[in-house]
Amino acid sequence: MSMASDTSGGTAPAAQAGEGTSQIPVLECRNLSISYFTRAGEIPAVADFNLTLMPGESHGIVGESGCGKSTVALAIMQYMGRNGRIVGGEILFNGRDMRAMSEEELRLLRGSQIAMVYQEPMASLNPAMRVGDQLAEVPIYHEGASKEEALERARAMLESVRLPEPERILRSYPHQISGGQQQRVVIAMALLSSPKLLLLDEPTTALDVTVEAGIVDLIREIAAEFGTSMIYISHNLGLILETCDRITVMYSGEAVEVGTVEDVFEAMRHPYTRGLFASIPLPGADKNARPLIAIPGQLPLPHERPPGCNFGPRCDYFKAGLCDRGEIPMLPISGDDRHFSRCLRIEEIDWHAGLGEGIGKVATEKGDVVLKVDDMTKHYEIEEGALFFSGEAKTVKANEKLSFEAREAETVAIVGESGCGKSTFAKVLMGLEEATAGKVLLGNVELGHMPVDRRGPETISKLQMIFQNPFDTLNPSHTVGGQIARVIRKFGVEKDEAKVQERVLELLDIVKLPRDFALRRPRQLSGGQKQRVGIARAFAGNPAVVIADEPVSALDVSVQAAVTELLMDIQRENRTTLLFISHDLSVVRYLSDRIVVMYLGQIMEQGSTEEIFAPPYHPYTEALLSAVPIADTKVTKRHIVLSGEIPSASDPPAGCPFCTRCPYVIEGTCETEPPPIREFQPGHRIACHLSEETLSAMQPVIQIGDGTEKGDKGDEVSPAAAAESARRSDA
């Protein structure tokens, strides 16, 4: 990708990106200010935003929720709604002021020269139209193409975005294809008219890491093939490192740091940027020795911004009388004319000092086995056929012979792609489903064949759950204190009303929420605060085991760090066993003691965190590790992208479930015979046909510092040679 010059962040674009070249920037935002007008008055959303984007260049915009990232993208698209308005500055597209364009000009521009890919693909697809018809609309409307020509171009574009069976996809409705396929269709739709500018707003947030890796590769190829300029909006700094040339860090409606990706990642010059990186579980972070540090405080509301620096109330380097006086300009970094920071203390702060580390904690000693899963199997019987006629019965093998243990005060992570059976196992554990075979023992109580309506209060209280989305799990009509108190009463923790209320306040203290939040309703809380209430409610019954189902995936990185540390602190204090269900291996590496890797309902590998993240790997584990975006320029990765889709659980392969996507597949064996379970260390088991020698000879996927393997910025190291060697030696 191009590394064109760009100042992008000054309060006045004195030195424009194209200076000294004949190229006209694709996009320029000059001192852009955006407000929304409500009954309460003007709400300033974005102020003094500058960005210059050259042809073929990619620019990342990062920051916490509410910082103004998406507002900038909507302003570029001129999609701000009735109450949104540009109140200052200008947006130039190919040198033309977009504010001076007519509605008809803007309408023709959108989708043809400027396209946008949203976070949720189904928001961009019409559920009542076939995919082919929706794709064909783009060249028909913007270029006057015939239906036949448009469909042929749509088919070719589906091939370009590496979708299998493009003819079938064209005939399908959106609900008939997977989430990853839907996102590829939306990208294909955006590219059909070869736009000069592509806006991507969190396009991979809802996708599995393996699908995300494929989308990232695709985006990289798009920039090279079509010369498309891109603005990539994300809270995932690892993705920005892998996809972008330059980066803007936003905070509370302002750009606070701008530079090349390498400059900002390796020589950050704003306290907020440092705070973001200190919140991320990079390799080397340790929940005991080097815990994460969350940024203190909350993002200010747009109409409650402090005087001077917006980040001042949360900044460790705040200086009264300096940082709280007047507007803070964007200042150039000494010795680097392409790097800017909105900080008055750039020259005074010791930027070479470490990012800082949290207070070290004593590692918790693990106790006896609390939860034992022994050959647990869950099958569903379904009928295929028309609505009113019974069809052929099929068996969906959601979980197949799961076996593992979890000890007191231990965190066991369960990882894998969507559809691997993680949530089905959680449902069996919670009594929402009944196991088909095998056992699930909580102490001496068998849970696999005991639905929730047959469980007593004591059993239910020992097993609680923290859900992914706190918005859907709190009753909007009840106060926070009332919802926590109900659990305390229901499970008989306290009966005296005064003691119940005191316990509610103690739980709010534990999750670090003010006590007066007991009187608030969920709508009055932020996403991170709601998740803390969910944690308080889960621990209100003094559970022995807590199942955390993606509890931090929807949260900003700083809130994520705070919630993660909170879970660890509560676990240390109560010696609770934590089952952590996640697809984010960075968080899993940081907080888990042991990891169970699942694929298509079966356990492919399990062992301690150190064993899972170092060779030998199961080939699926290897691919998962390669797919994790890491926000560290010193880290290199082997580049492995899985092809194909997960097979249907109603028709899995007869042999190894991973054989249809495995680069090491041994033909004639993997497809027909279930893999043997090989034990490398006590508790470290891999289900694979590859020999122990071949598995042990695997090279590390992730390396820190100088390594012989390359993977940064897409330098691909294919596993093909190793796979061929494995086939020869193990066939």
Side-chain angles (χ1 to χ4, degrees), residues 202-389:
E202 300 275 15
T204 62
T205 299
L207 303 179
D208 290 312
V209 287
T210 50
V211 179
E212 178 180 81
I215 296 290
V216 168
D217 263 17
L218 178 61
I219 291 168
R220 194 183 291 123
E221 290 175 10
I222 286 166
E225 181 178 351
F226 295 95
T228 308
S229 300
M230 294 189 295
I231 293 179
Y232 202 117
I233 296 169
S234 181
H235 68 273
N236 189 326
L237 289 163
L239 280 180
I240 296 298
L241 175 60
E242 294 187 359
T243 56
C244 294
D245 304 316
R246 293 184 61 79
I247 181 174
T248 293
V249 181
M250 291 191 71
Y251 180 80
S252 190
E254 293 180 330
V256 295
E257 186 166 4
V258 179
T260 65
V261 165
E262 288 77 9
D263 283 346
V264 173
F265 277 63
E266 296 174 6
M268 57 199 77
R269 289 295 183 268
H270 194 280
Y272 177 61
T273 311
R274 286 172 67 88
L276 286 179
F277 276 86
S279 303
I280 300 172
L282 297 174
D286 184 284
K287 66 179 180 181
N288 296 312
R290 294 179 298 279
L292 302 178
I293 308 172
I295 301 173
Q298 301 286 333
L299 190 79
L301 295 173
H303 59 286
E304 295 178 352
R305 290 175 179 140
C309 177
N310 287 343
F311 188 60
R314 306 174 71 187
C315 181
D316 291 336
Y317 305 99
F318 177 80
K319 187 174 182 179
L322 175 68
C323 300
D324 53 1
R325 297 283 182 87
E327 293 186 6
I328 309 296
M330 206 72 160
L331 300 173
I333 306 302
S334 177
D336 189 345
D337 61 357
R338 304 171 67 205
H339 191 181
F340 296 80
S341 173
R342 199 180 294 272
C343 180
L344 296 175
R345 304 196 65 197
I346 297 173
E347 303 299 332
E348 302 171 34
I349 297 172
D350 182 5
W351 299 104
H352 298 289
L355 282 174
E357 296 174 354
I359 300 172
K361 311 286 176 65
V362 177
T364 306
E365 189 173 337
K366 309 302 177 280
D368 296 332
V369 173
V370 173
L371 182 71
K372 182 178 176 63
V373 182
D374 187 11
D375 278 348
M376 197 283 283
T377 297
K378 175 60 183 176
H379 292 174
Y380 295 95
E381 296 294 329
I382 61 171
E383 286 187 352
E384 288 195 341
L387 285 174
F388 304 107
F389 301 95

Side-chain angles (χ1 to χ4, degrees), residues 579-656:
L579 292 185
F580 192 84
I581 297 174
S582 180
H583 69 273
D584 187 340
L585 284 172
S586 296
V587 175
V588 164
R589 181 177 194 167
Y590 173 70
L591 62 80
S592 65
D593 301 303
R594 289 194 307 111
I595 300 174
V596 175
V597 181
M598 290 184 63
Y599 183 82
L600 203 62
Q602 298 184 37
I603 294 177
M604 297 287 97
E605 183 173 1
Q606 62 175 299
S608 70
T609 302
E610 292 75 19
E611 290 166 343
I612 297 296
F613 275 81
Y617 308 111
H618 187 281
Y620 179 57
T621 307
E622 183 184 47
L624 285 179
L625 295 178
S626 174
V628 179
I630 300 174
D632 191 337
T633 56
K634 297 185 291 296
V635 170
T636 56
K637 292 188 303 178
R638 281 199 291 126
H639 193 74
I640 304 164
V641 176
L642 295 179
S643 60
E645 299 290 323
I646 299 178
S648 169
S650 64
D651 188 23
C656 174

Side-chain angles (χ1 to χ4, degrees), residues 116-184:
M116 189 162 181
V117 177
Y118 296 90
Q119 178 174 350
E120 174 49 60
M122 281 303 289
S124 306
L125 297 173
N126 187 332
M129 289 179 65
R130 296 183 190 275
V131 168
D133 293 332
Q134 296 186 59
L135 290 171
E137 280 187 338
V138 177
I140 290 173
Y141 177 79
H142 288 290
E143 301 171 35
S146 67
K147 182 69 177 290
E148 293 74 18
E149 180 189 352
L151 284 172
E152 179 56 33
R153 285 176 56 182
R155 187 195 60 77
M157 186 56 73
L158 290 182
E159 288 181 347
S160 296
V161 298
R162 298 201 296 271
L163 271 170
E165 303 178 272
E167 293 292 347
R168 179 186 65 81
I169 300 283
L170 288 174
R171 294 192 301 270
S172 300
Y173 288 96
H175 71 273
Q176 295 174 310
I177 58 179
S178 71
Q181 290 175 334
Q182 290 170 3
Q183 193 63 285
R184 280 179 160 85

Side-chain angles (χ1 to χ4, degrees), residues 416-432:
E417 295 171 284
S418 298
C420 74
K422 305 187 300 290
S423 296
T424 299
F425 167 71
K427 289 178 181 177
V428 172
L429 201 55
M430 296 299 294
L432 303 176

